[in-house]
Amino acid sequence: MAEGQIRKAISGFYYVEHNGELIQCKSRGVFRLKKINPLVGDFVTYVPDGNNDATITEVHPRKSELVRPPIANVDQALLVFSVVEPDMSLRLLDRFLTVIESHQLEPILYISKEDIANTKKLEDNEVNLAYYQKIGYTILRNIDHEDSLLETLRPYFSGKTTVLAGQSGVGKSTLLNTILPELQLKTGVISDALGRGKHTTRHVELLEVADGLVADTPGFSSLDFEHIEKEELRDYFVEISEAGESCKFRGCLHMKEPGCAVKAQVEQGIISEGRYKNYMLFLQEIMDRKPRY
């Protein structure tokens, strides 16, 4: 028996890294009966069957699990947002942040395409980013030189497993091409008609980058809140969660309750009105959700 980590999965085969080699593995038939589904990122025990083939016999406990993309043991998400083509949407940004926070992942915001944005776009963007920085989010800027980008990312990637996220066309494949040019990933082409890019990755794979692992994947393909209850949403808005500690009522949802510290901070300009409006929109979406049976 040996142990390793699943680095990629294609057509029912799992490729497990062990001592610098990738071992092609199948999973045990009993896994299906027990509803055990090995994921890229899983640490597993396997038994060699022959020449570089093996069978996975055990999947070790996970510290995190994502469904879309299907990957386990992720530490953080590098959230790529462009200033233009497509323009940055703060509502979409808050949606991504909510989903990322709900999975207990550390979000890092990477801003792309600043070099092709006009002055007005850059100035408006700077005001918005200053707020996200103030509430504690790490923000990295557009860097297109391979060495500079690698050295910028190294402290964040080292010893961590990172998943890239962001809407299509923002430059996720371009970023990976820059730090790992040997991959030569096909860069998504922006559709003039649709204003969005095309997915260019077909399977999940963990790649060694800057002393860490990065998932080559389209990122979060689903941004719904099906797994979030209305009482949980406030915890995923960091400044709302903090201000909510001072609310008069313990279970305050920050809607119409009296003595709401969150609403007071919105009125005082401490909490962004735009962020609060997005919180309210997401809360309503969750409350309108059909009950599960």
Side-chain angles (χ1 to χ4, degrees), residues 94 97-105 107 135 137 227-247 249-254 262 275 279-280 282-283 286:
D94 285 339
L97 287 172
T98 299
V99 172
I100 289 166
E101 295 272 9
S102 73
H103 288 290
Q104 286 76 54
L105 304 182
I135 62 176
Y137 288 113
H227 62 294
I228 300 175
E229 301 300 330
K230 67 179 189 293
E231 297 84 4
E232 299 171 334
L233 181 65
R234 59 197 172 200
D235 296 332
Y236 307 138
F237 281 70
V238 288
E239 73 276 46
I240 288 177
S241 177
E242 184 178 335
E245 297 291 328
S246 302
C247 285
F249 297 106
R250 186 185 179 112
C252 186
L253 290 176
H254 321 306
V262 170
R275 277 269 288 177
Y279 164 79
M280 291 296 291
F282 300 166
L283 184 62
I286 292 169

Side-chain angles (χ1 to χ4, degrees), residues 21 26 41 56 67 105-106 111 114 146-147 152 175 177 182 187 191 204 225 232-233 236 247 275 285-286:
E21 288 187 64
K26 299 172 293 186
I56 295 172
V67 177
L105 304 182
E106 180 72 22
I111 307 302
E114 289 185 319
E146 177 187 345
D147 294 336
T152 298
L175 187 148
N177 279 336
E182 64 272 22
T187 302
S191 163
V204 181
F225 301 136
E232 299 171 334
L233 181 65
Y236 307 138
C247 285
R275 277 269 288 177
E285 181 179 330
I286 292 169

Side-chain angles (χ1 to χ4, degrees), residues 34-76:
K34 293 183 176 181
K35 297 184 177 179
I36 298 173
N37 181 32
L39 297 176
V40 170
D42 272 329
F43 292 95
V44 298
T45 300
Y46 64 90
V47 176
D49 290 339
N51 189 18
N52 206 42
D53 283 333
T55 299
I56 295 172
T57 57
E58 181 185 356
V59 177
H60 299 185
R62 298 163 179 158
K63 64 181 178 183
S64 66
E65 177 182 344
L66 302 178
V67 177
R68 287 172 285 186
I71 187 169
N73 298 312
V74 175
D75 298 297
Q76 59 191 9

Side-chain angles (χ1 to χ4, degrees), residues 58-263:
E58 181 185 356
V59 177
H60 299 185
R62 298 163 179 158
K63 64 181 178 183
S64 66
E65 177 182 344
L66 302 178
V67 177
R68 287 172 285 186
I71 187 169
N73 298 312
V74 175
D75 298 297
Q76 59 191 9
L78 184 68
L79 182 53
V80 183
F81 257 73
S82 57
V83 181
V84 292
E85 297 181 13
D87 290 354
M88 182 179 289
S89 161
L90 296 183
R91 184 170 299 169
L92 186 60
L93 172 57
D94 285 339
R95 201 171 186 91
F96 267 107
L97 287 172
T98 299
V99 172
I100 289 166
E101 295 272 9
S102 73
H103 288 290
Q104 286 76 54
L105 304 182
E106 180 72 22
I108 300 170
L109 185 55
Y110 179 86
I111 307 302
S112 66
K113 303 188 183 180
E114 289 185 319
D115 53 329
I116 61 172
N118 62 39
T119 303
K120 179 68 167 61
K121 284 280 187 186
L122 290 173
E123 288 175 351
D124 291 344
N125 203 48
E126 208 59 45
V127 172
N128 294 327
L129 292 178
Y131 179 79
Y132 286 90
Q133 209 153 21
K134 185 186 80 170
I135 62 176
Y137 288 113
T138 299
I139 298 176
L140 307 178
R141 314 310 288 255
N142 183 76
I143 306 164
D144 56 10
H145 189 270
E146 177 187 345
D147 294 336
S148 301
L149 182 56
L150 267 176
E151 290 314 306
T152 298
L153 293 176
R154 192 175 302 279
Y156 301 98
F157 281 10
S158 182
K160 301 282 183 68
T161 297
T162 305
V163 62
L164 267 62
Q167 71 184 117
S168 297
V170 295
K172 297 188 296 294
S173 290
T174 299
L175 187 148
L176 274 175
N177 279 336
T178 303
I179 57 180
L180 277 175
E182 64 272 22
L183 286 177
Q184 299 200 355
L185 294 177
K186 183 180 177 183
T187 302
V189 178
I190 297 290
S191 163
D192 291 333
L194 298 176
R196 60 183 184 229
K198 300 174 181 177
H199 285 314
T200 56
T201 44
R202 294 169 184 253
H203 64 273
V204 181
E205 182 174 355
L206 284 176
L207 309 167
E208 295 182 4
V209 180
D211 303 320
L213 295 172
V214 176
D216 168 22
T217 161
F220 292 80
S221 57
S222 174
L223 289 173
D224 60 46
F225 301 136
E226 288 296 316
H227 62 294
I228 300 175
E229 301 300 330
K230 67 179 189 293
E231 297 84 4
E232 299 171 334
L233 181 65
R234 59 197 172 200
D235 296 332
Y236 307 138
F237 281 70
V238 288
E239 73 276 46
I240 288 177
S241 177
E242 184 178 335
E245 297 291 328
S246 302
C247 285
K248 182 177 179 180
F249 297 106
R250 186 185 179 112
C252 186
L253 290 176
H254 321 306
M255 298 175 69
K256 298 177 181 177
E257 301 92 333
C260 176
V262 170
K263 289 191 293 183

